[in-house]
Amino acid sequence: MSGSLPGLDVAAVQRWYDTQRPGDMPPPEEVEARLLAGGRSNLTYALHVREDPDRRWVLRRPPLGHVQATAHDMGREFRVMDALAPTPVPVPRMYAHCADDSVLGAPFYLMEVVDGVALRRAAELEPLGPQRTRDLVERMVGVLADLHAVDPGTVGLGDLGRPAGFLERQVRRWGRQLEGSRSRDLPDADLLLERLAAHVPPDGAPAVVHGDYRLDNLLVDPDHAQPVRAVVDWEMATLGDPLTDLALLVVYDRLADLVAGSGASVADAGLADVSTAPGYPSPDDQLTAYAAASGRDLGPMDFHLGLAHLKLAVILEGIHYRHAHGQTVGEGFDAIGEAVPPLLAAGLAATSHL
């Protein structure tokens, strides 16, 4: 497919990109573009030269329509991946960032294509067998520990966020995000927010936080010596409590069971179910692996797990809102809202001892 796609005008991109890297991308009639599968938030496109498929790019831009003011930050994604390039954290090479809304109607950036796949389904892991699945997930956890070991100041990210008061601001932020997407009564969300606000723990040692770390935000090649080829989707990256990343990873891996237990369909909601694959480490195993790899004392995780349930529920509620208003591109959004109530209920259960 060439020419224009929803949210993408290849000709406009080529004209702008030629001012940044002259001659790198040929005229638009020579460029093929397609919307990549996967992704429930930012839109991601693959572009390549029709007569030379090895010349290729990935373009990322925010979703169409309803966009929260603090989300979908293209400049942040670009900056963080560019800064992490010399570290042990695998990231794609960055090419150019456009902050001018007049080009595509929103900021965007271009980066290299990394040969790897984002795994979302248990069926995609099953051919690996239990041991290779376990090895892959353990490497995923190890990469998270590598990220949290990066000195932000050394890589130029010392001003990426404000670590002091991070957890308190997270509670307030996700409360605001919920209000920005609220289209139905969610009493458990209000109760969970109130409980978290009343039990914010002291600040811990800060780190670069990904903000949405999970298997399908990695590009992997299980046959490669280092199976995690790249960590992507950095729009929520900041400086803060690294245990928020770990807790969210655990909650993502509980999501399939939570949704199935509520009677909703994971497949209909388009949600990942990789954690149901044979050999996939349990949440406790992942916590243990992270503690060993990072050397951190995890301590009680009740608050962090409650916050993770809230955050994921709000993210999915935002997608539900956009779908209800005809502002999503692609398939698999019809039942996404069904995952929100069981997530909030699980968040209340996780924080019952606070």
Side-chain angles (χ1 to χ4, degrees), residues 18-72:
D18 204 47
T19 69
Q20 307 299 306
R21 298 170 65 94
D24 193 45
M25 186 182 294
E29 60 270 17
E30 299 178 26
V31 177
E32 295 278 354
R34 63 187 175 91
L35 179 67
L36 291 175
R40 303 285 165 183
S41 180
N42 288 327
L43 302 179
T44 306
Y45 307 85
L47 297 83
H48 73 268
V49 178
R50 184 178 296 109
E51 301 300 327
D52 186 1
D54 290 335
R55 293 178 64 190
R56 51 191 183 151
W57 306 263
V58 167
L59 184 147
R60 291 261 291 171
R61 59 148 293 160
L64 307 179
H66 178 72
V67 176
Q68 296 281 9
T70 56
H72 316 295

